[in-house]
Amino acid sequence: MLLALVQSNEEGQVCYQELIELMSSKRSSSFRRAIANGRRTLQREILLDETGLGLYKRFVRYVAYEILPCETDRRWYFHQNRLCPPPVFIAIVTIVQIIVFMCYGIMLNKWVLQTYQPDFMKSPLVYHPGHRAQVWRFFSYMFMHVGLEQLGFNALLQLMIGVPLEMVHGILRISLLYMAGVLAGSLTVSITDMRAPVVGGSGGVYALCSAHLANVVMNWAGMRCPYKLLRMILALVCMSSEVGRAVWLRFSPPLPSSGPQPSFMAHLSGAVVGISMGLLILRSYEESLQKQCSWWVIIFSFITFLLFAIFWNIFAYELLGVQIPPPP
């Protein structure tokens, strides 16, 4: 294993931290078992040099270079990858979002700016400050979207980034990151933009995107994905444009409406969740999160924010005398 680490480094060296991790077996039990059984045999050539691969294995190799910054981890993921369990969480969420959007589009005969339809805002899935007691709305709003452009943007990003992340890091970690972004989005809106409703899965999408972009930046030298600088600039431009559009719809709606338009704060809170919680998850490939002190610090911070938001939603609206628009 020490030889494999040396061969995977361009300078033929092993840093002190890599040696410590190898000798103290900080990796997961499956990783240690693989080393003990001699199944982690790594060749001298880099993974890109392998030829004669089928379509699926080429896609797995692409995912490995897209997500993982270390050649050793890329080879390990490539050789131990299995189709079971498949990356189904992001795919199921996207399919449900599309089905819900199509149902409301057909029912309302409207495919853009759907929030201007009263029947759309009457949905039991939309988060509305007047319905804060219905706890499921803090999650279910992720299935509703303002229009075709918001759905297309979110679906494209979460499929392009979420599916590779789920293939590498597993359904449990990626679903936790996505749902944490969704919950943080609605709770942040309930604190910072108390009169506004929320629709769209942008909190979860931005959690995935910001975590991946932060991981690329933190491991810039090791990432081998093609055109990484250009792709990062394009991603940042697209994400900024979506936030700008959400701000415009919130404060300068193009049509008169009966109440405030959906808030944009879910985008920003999802990005914060991705940079904090998501970055640690993505940097801990095949390592146990429970053994890392920083993981528990992040969990404690998130739980503290959750408790604060619960008390805020119970007491702050009446104490501050916030005039909530009547629920549709």
Side-chain angles (χ1 to χ4, degrees):
M1 192 58 207
L2 189 60
L3 262 176
L5 284 173
V6 172
Q7 294 169 358
S8 66
N9 191 306
E10 295 179 356
E11 299 177 357
Q13 298 176 347
V14 176
C15 73
Y16 180 72
Q17 186 61 35
E18 289 175 327
L19 178 63
I20 292 297
E21 290 182 1
L22 176 63
M23 302 307 294
S24 60
S25 298
K26 286 187 176 180
R27 295 272 183 161
S28 67
S29 57
S30 62
F31 186 94
R32 293 197 299 271
R33 277 201 310 272
I35 295 176
N37 296 336
R39 288 189 284 109
R40 183 167 178 156
T41 55
L42 303 178
Q43 303 172 7
R44 182 180 298 271
E45 296 81 7
I46 63 174
L47 189 57
L48 281 176
D49 293 338
E50 293 208 12
T51 58
L53 299 177
L55 181 63
Y56 174 72
K57 272 299 184 181
R58 288 201 299 270
F59 177 67
V60 171
R61 181 174 62 181
Y62 163 79
V63 169
Y65 275 89
E66 185 74 18
I67 303 300
L68 296 171
C70 175
E71 183 68 23
T72 305
D73 285 341
R74 287 193 285 258
R75 271 200 169 276
W76 171 235
Y77 166 74
F78 177 80
H79 287 294
Q80 62 88 40
N81 174 263
R82 300 291 183 270
L83 282 173
C84 185
V88 296
F89 173 76
I90 296 296
I92 291 176
V93 168
T94 305
I95 291 173
V96 174
Q97 289 173 340
I98 293 174
I99 291 175
V100 170
F101 178 81
M102 292 183 64
C103 290
Y104 277 94
I106 294 173
M107 181 179 66
L108 304 174
N109 194 25
K110 189 177 181 65
W111 302 93
V112 294
L113 299 177
Q114 292 186 352
T115 51
Y116 290 90
Q117 287 280 0
D119 290 337
F120 180 87
M121 298 304 293
K122 289 179 182 178
S123 169
L125 301 178
V126 173
Y127 168 80
H128 191 280
H131 292 306
R132 300 189 314 281
Q134 299 174 358
V135 180
W136 71 84
R137 290 177 180 260
F138 286 89
F139 293 95
S140 62
Y141 77 92
M142 70 179 187
F143 297 115
M144 307 290 289
H145 287 83
V146 172
L148 187 61
E149 65 285 351
Q150 186 191 27
L151 172 67
F153 179 83
N154 285 346
L156 181 64
L157 274 183
Q158 66 190 21
L159 287 175
M160 290 182 60
I161 296 178
V163 170
L165 287 177
E166 188 177 345
M167 289 178 63
V168 173
H169 296 282
I171 184 173
L172 183 61
R173 293 188 177 191
I174 299 306
S175 60
L176 173 64
L177 176 59
Y178 189 91
M179 297 307 296
V182 169
L183 180 59
S186 55
L187 291 177
T188 302
V189 170
S190 70
I191 295 173
T192 61
D193 199 356
M194 300 170 68
R195 301 182 70 251
V198 190
V199 294
S202 298
V205 173
Y206 275 61
L208 296 177
C209 294
S210 59
H212 178 58
L213 293 179
N215 188 48
V216 172
V217 172
M218 293 291 292
N219 301 279
W220 188 263
M223 300 302 292
R224 293 292 182 266
C225 46
Y227 309 109
K228 54 186 176 183
L229 179 59
L230 176 61
R231 295 165 64 184
M232 174 165 290
I233 293 175
L234 289 176
L236 291 175
V237 169
C238 292
M239 293 170 66
S240 302
S241 301
E242 174 64 15
V243 174
R245 176 184 170 277
V247 173
W248 171 67
L249 288 176
R250 175 68 180 90
F251 295 111
S252 301
L255 298 174
S257 58
S258 57
Q261 287 299 294
S263 176
F264 59 90
M265 290 302 298
H267 300 70
L268 305 181
S269 58
V272 172
V273 169
I275 294 174
S276 57
M277 181 186 295
L279 181 58
L280 179 61
I281 290 176
L282 301 192
R283 292 178 62 187
S284 302
Y285 171 69
E286 279 289 335
E287 296 181 19
S288 176
L289 292 172
Q290 292 83 352
K291 296 180 180 179
Q292 302 184 43
C293 180
S294 53
W295 171 251
W296 292 109
V297 171
I298 292 175
I299 293 298
F300 175 77
S301 302
F302 190 83
I303 293 176
T304 302
F305 166 73
L306 178 62
L307 294 175
F308 172 78
I310 291 174
F311 280 98
W312 182 276
N313 278 273
I314 295 175
F315 301 109
Y317 281 78
E318 294 183 3
L319 292 176
L320 297 177
V322 179
Q323 296 296 322
I324 301 176

